[in-house]
């Protein structure tokens, strides 16, 4: 029987995860103060949650606008033909395209949803023509342009 989150994480673990999602640079000492434990048990809990895969990695969130990559587009992609080999090839290719920051296999009339960061519309147009448009398995592509980011928490509610 698979373990549920309730069986493996207690309320203190959940509080630690919430704190780390807010600021992964918090020190063990700072976290310890927040959860009312000494540093050693907090350190051990964090190491256990890393080992068990609750914490996958630590990242720095960059400001796309300041880096001139603030033009965000969601691309809905349909593959042709759609089979396991083509899907694997597409996924392997997309992993190596730096402009694509997220890729999801989705259900519905399209097969994949890509999040693309670009400096501007002209760059994105060239990207479509010279990068995505060159993929032999690309059946169709539909672009949705982001006008405003309303919410982006970069985490999972725990």
């Amino acid at each position: 029987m698979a373990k549920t989150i309730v069986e493996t994480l207690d309320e203190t673990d959940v509080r630690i995860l919430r704190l780390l999602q807010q600021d992964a640079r918090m020190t063990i000492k700072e976290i310890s103060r927040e959860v009312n434990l000494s540093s050693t048990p907090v350190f051990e809990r964090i190491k256990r949650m890393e080992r068990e895969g609750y914490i996958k990695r630590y990242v720095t969130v960059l400001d796309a606008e300041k880096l001139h990559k603030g033009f965000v587009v969601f691309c809905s992609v349909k593959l042709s033909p759609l089979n396991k080999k083509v899907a694997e090839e597409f996924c392997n290719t997309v992993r190596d395209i730096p402009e694509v920051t997220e890729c999801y296999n989705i259900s519905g009339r399209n097969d994949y949803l890509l999040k693309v960061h670009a400096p501007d519309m002209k760059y994105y147009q060239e990207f479509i023509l010279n990068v995505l448009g060159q993929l032999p398995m690309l059946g169709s592509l539909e672009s949705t342009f982001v006008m405003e980011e309303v919410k982006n928490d970069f985490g999972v509610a725990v």
Side-chain angles (χ1 to χ4, degrees), residues 5 39 107 110 127 140:
I5 210 168
S39 295
S107 65
N110 294 300
F127 172 76
S140 65

Side-chain angles (χ1 to χ4, degrees), residues 59-110:
V59 299
T60 301
V61 179
L62 304 178
D63 187 321
E65 288 290 332
K66 287 188 183 282
L67 295 168
H68 306 290
K69 303 285 172 98
F71 187 75
V72 180
V73 183
F74 286 95
C75 295
S76 299
V77 173
K78 185 157 190 62
L79 301 183
S80 180
L82 178 59
N83 59 52
K84 185 174 181 170
K85 181 181 177 200
V86 168
E88 286 174 356
E89 184 181 339
F90 176 78
C91 291
N92 289 335
T93 301
V94 164
R95 285 185 187 104
D96 293 333
I97 301 172
E99 291 88 351
V100 177
T101 58
E102 298 176 45
C103 176
Y104 302 95
N105 180 216
I106 59 173
S107 65
R109 67 183 163 126
N110 294 300

Side-chain angles (χ1 to χ4, degrees), residues 34-50:
E34 291 290 325
V35 299
N36 297 317
L37 283 178
S38 63
S39 295
T40 301
V42 168
F43 177 79
E44 290 171 357
R45 283 171 178 263
I46 290 172
K47 288 298 168 197
R48 176 181 51 80
M49 289 187 287
E50 289 172 349

